[in-house]
Amino acid sequence: RFDNQKQVGSCVGLVPQPYDSGTMRIDQGISKQGNRRVRSLLIEMAWMWLRYQPESKLSIWFAEKTNSQAPNKRGRRVAIVAVA
């Protein structure tokens, strides 16, 4: 049973991994410590959402986020995790 979306993201490993050295706190990227199969399924579902729901607010946000940068694959991968 999950109470909010953060708990779901934590279960599948789609949350930032914190780094805390005592003087500095940053997020290092997604943790990838959850269920690998569910995480890959969510990423595939996010790509399908963009493909079949191009007029949704989420798809428009993704297009704006990725088109404003130079065409790079890393930016698209980071944004698709946000969609997932």
Side-chain angles (χ1 to χ4, degrees), residues 11-54:
C11 180
V12 297
L14 289 176
V15 294
Q17 184 174 358
Y19 172 78
D20 189 359
S21 68
T23 59
M24 180 174 55
R25 292 185 64 177
I26 59 172
D27 289 331
Q28 294 180 311
I30 63 172
S31 66
K32 297 182 183 176
Q33 292 180 351
N35 188 323
R36 184 182 75 204
R37 290 182 181 174
V38 174
R39 185 172 53 252
S40 64
L41 179 65
L42 287 174
I43 298 295
E44 287 299 319
M45 287 172 54
W47 283 117
M48 290 294 114
W49 178 268
L50 296 177
R51 181 176 181 182
Y52 292 110
Q53 301 292 330

Side-chain angles (χ1 to χ4, degrees), residues 1 4-5 13-14 17 26 28 34 36-37 44-45 56 61 63 67 69 77-82:
R1 180 157 159 56
N4 57 39
Q5 64 268 23
L14 289 176
Q17 184 174 358
I26 59 172
Q28 294 180 311
R36 184 182 75 204
R37 290 182 181 174
E44 287 299 319
M45 287 172 54
S56 71
W61 173 86
N67 288 339
Q69 305 168 353
R77 287 193 312 253
V78 169
I80 200 65
V81 170

